C-alpha cells in the first residue's frame, strides 16, 4: 500500500538512530505490516536495514538475534548440535501466517514489536527465556525480559522512539528439551493457541509458556513436574481478562485447548519424547 502521508525516508540513519526522533516517525525494517495498512499519523520512515546489524551471532553464551534478522534467515539457521531447543526456532518460523515472500522481508524484531497475541517470535523468545536490548532516543540502553515486553494485544513497553536492537537467548535455555503444541482453525491459519514446554536436562522441572490464546505471554514454572491436577489448576488461575477473543477463537475455547495441550506437553516431557 502507498503511504501518501510520508514526506521523507531516512535511508542512512546514524549508527545510534533515534537522537532526532520526532512525532510522526516510524522505524522501517521489513515493512510487511507497515505497508499493509493506512498510517495517517506518519510523516517519516527511518530505514533500519541500512545499519547492517548482524542477523545471527551464536556463541558459547547463547544466540544473539539482530532485530532486523529476517524470518528467512532465522529459518535457515543451523544451531549447534548441543542446542536441543534449536529446532524450536524453525518451528516458530513455520507458525507465521504468511507466504515465503513475506519471510524474505519480515523481521524477527518487527514481529515482536507488533506485539500481537499470535506473534510466533514472541512465543519462541519467551519460551527460550530471552532478553531484549532496547535503545532509547537519549542514547540510554535497557534490557527487558521477553516475558515482560508484551503487555497486551498490540501493546508493549516501548517508549516513543525506543527501538528493539537485539534479542539474546541464553545457551542454558537452548540446551533444554522442548515440546510444543499449536492449534489453528485452518492448516495455514493464525495461531489460536501456541504452547511450549521446556525442561532442563537431568531434572524434572517444567517451564510452560502459553501464548496466542492470551493477550500477553503467560509463563508457568514448576521445580518438579506437576501432576495433571496441579497443572490444570495453574492454568485455571490465569485471569479471565487475559484470555484473547477474536474470530479464531473465544476465550473459553482457547482455555479448553490450553488445558488439553498442556497435558499433552506434560506427558511428552515426562516420557522423554522428542526434544
Amino acid at each position: 500500500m502507498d503511504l501518501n502521508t510520508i514526506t521523507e525516508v531516512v535511508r542512512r540513519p546514524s549508527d545510534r538512530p533515534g537522537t532526532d526522533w520526532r512525532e510522526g516517525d516510524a522505524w522501517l525494517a521489513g515493512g510487511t505490516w507497515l505497508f499493509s495498512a493506512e498510517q495517517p499519523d506518519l510523516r517519516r520512515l527511518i530505514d533500519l536495514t541500512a545499519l547492517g546489524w548482524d542477523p545471527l551471532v551464536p556463541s558459547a553464551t547463547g544466540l544473539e538475534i539482530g532485530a532486523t534478522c529476517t524470518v528467512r534467515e532465522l529459518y535457515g539457521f543451523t544451531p549447534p548440535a548441543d542446542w536441543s531447543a534449536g529446532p524450536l526456532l524453525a518451528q516458530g518460523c513455520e507458525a507465521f501466517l504468511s507466504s515465503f515472500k513475506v519471510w524474505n522481508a519480515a523481521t524477527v524484531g518487527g514481529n515482536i514489536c507488533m506485539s500481537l497475541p499470535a506473534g510466533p517470535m514472541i512465543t519462541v523468545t519467551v519460551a527460550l527465556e530471552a532478553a531484549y536490548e532496547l535503545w532509547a532516543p537519549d542514547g540510554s540502553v535497557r534490557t527487558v525480559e521477553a516475558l515482560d515486553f508484551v503487555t497486551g494485544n498490540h501493546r508493549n513497553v516501548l517508549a516513543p522512539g525506543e527501538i528493539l536492537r537485539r534479542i539474546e537467548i541464553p545457551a542454558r535455555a537452548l540446551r533444554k528439551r522442548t515440546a510444543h503444541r499449536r492449534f489453528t482453525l485452518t492448516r495455514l491459519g493464525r495461531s489460536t493457541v501456541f504452547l511450549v514446554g521446556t525442561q532442563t536436562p537431568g531434572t524434572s522441572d517444567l517451564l510452560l509458556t502459553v501464548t496466542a490464546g492470551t493477550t500477553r505471554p503467560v509463563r508457568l514454572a514448576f521445580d518438579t513436574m506437576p501432576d495433571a491436577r496441579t497443572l490444570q489448576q495453574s492454568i485455571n488461575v490465569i485471569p479471565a481478562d487475559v484470555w484473547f477473543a477474536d474470530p479464531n477463537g473465544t476465550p473459553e475455547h482457547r482455555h479448553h485447548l490450553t488445558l488439553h495441550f498442556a497435558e499433552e506437553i506434560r506427558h511428552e516431557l515426562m516420557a522423554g519424547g522428542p526434544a
Side-chain angles (χ1 to χ4, degrees), residues 21-191:
W21 176 271
R22 58 179 182 259
E23 187 175 352
D25 285 354
W27 301 115
L28 173 62
T32 53
W33 175 81
L34 193 65
F35 288 101
S36 72
E38 295 182 0
Q39 311 289 348
D41 297 330
L42 298 185
R43 300 293 179 270
R44 188 172 68 153
L45 303 179
I46 304 172
D47 186 2
L48 298 177
T49 60
L51 296 174
W53 293 339
D54 291 332
L56 296 155
V57 183
S59 69
T61 61
L63 178 64
E64 176 187 306
I65 305 174
T68 54
C69 174
T70 66
V71 176
R72 173 64 64 189
E73 288 171 324
L74 182 61
Y75 188 71
F77 173 66
T78 301
D82 65 332
W83 287 4
S84 302
L88 186 62
L89 300 171
Q91 290 158 356
C93 294
E94 292 169 351
F96 270 91
L97 175 59
S98 62
S99 70
F100 72 92
K101 292 181 288 186
V102 173
W103 279 23
N104 290 329
T107 62
V108 175
N111 186 252
I112 291 171
C113 292
M114 275 293 294
S115 300
L116 298 176
M121 297 296 95
I122 299 168
T123 305
V124 169
T125 55
V126 171
L128 294 179
E129 304 166 60
Y132 302 157
E133 183 180 299
L134 309 180
W135 287 2
D138 64 4
S140 61
V141 177
R142 64 174 174 142
T143 300
V144 175
E145 295 299 314
L147 178 65
D148 301 325
F149 181 80
V150 176
T151 58
N153 178 26
H154 205 36
R155 300 199 308 271
N156 58 49
V157 301
L158 284 173
E162 200 168 27
I163 186 174
L164 172 59
R165 169 59 184 89
R166 59 170 59 88
I167 300 101
E168 297 174 340
I169 303 176
R172 58 174 177 76
L174 287 161
R175 294 191 180 100
K176 289 188 173 186
R177 297 179 57 246
T178 69
H180 76 281
R181 295 292 187 277
R182 177 173 171 259
F183 177 86
T184 62
L185 291 178
T186 61
R187 178 173 170 269
L188 298 176
R190 187 182 298 274
S191 299

